[in-house]
Amino acid sequence: MSQFEQSARVPRVIVAPGVAVSGGVARALVSHGNLYPSLAELRVRYAEQSAGQSLVAMLRGPAHHGRMGALT
């Protein structure tokens, strides 16, 4: 038996004033790799290469569909 499913679930709270929908809750799958491109799109300084995708679309509209899966 494995505890992978329980240990891989991590709550994620992102506050982006002026971007995020107030009180919005996105139910799409995301991975830790999505944080870097999201911060980059929000104009936080970053290196050019990243394997993740930005979560800014979900911040603007929580109903936005993310990936079909997430790597942990």
Side-chain angles (χ1 to χ4, degrees):
M1 186 137 204
S2 171
Q3 295 295 318
F4 178 78
E5 183 68 24
Q6 291 81 6
S7 64
R9 293 179 181 264
V10 179
R12 186 166 331 269
V13 177
I14 301 174
V15 177
V19 177
V21 173
S22 180
V25 176
R27 303 220 181 268
L29 288 174
V30 299
S31 73
H32 297 299
N34 298 127
L35 291 177
Y36 190 76
S38 300
L39 294 172
E41 187 173 339
L42 292 169
R43 308 237 186 251
V44 174
R45 296 178 112 184
Y46 72 100
E48 291 296 320
Q49 292 184 342
S50 175
Q53 78 183 61
S54 174
L55 302 174
V56 173
M58 276 185 236
L59 293 173
R60 291 189 174 127
H64 177 77
H65 296 287
R67 295 180 171 198
M68 295 302 292
L71 299 175
T72 301

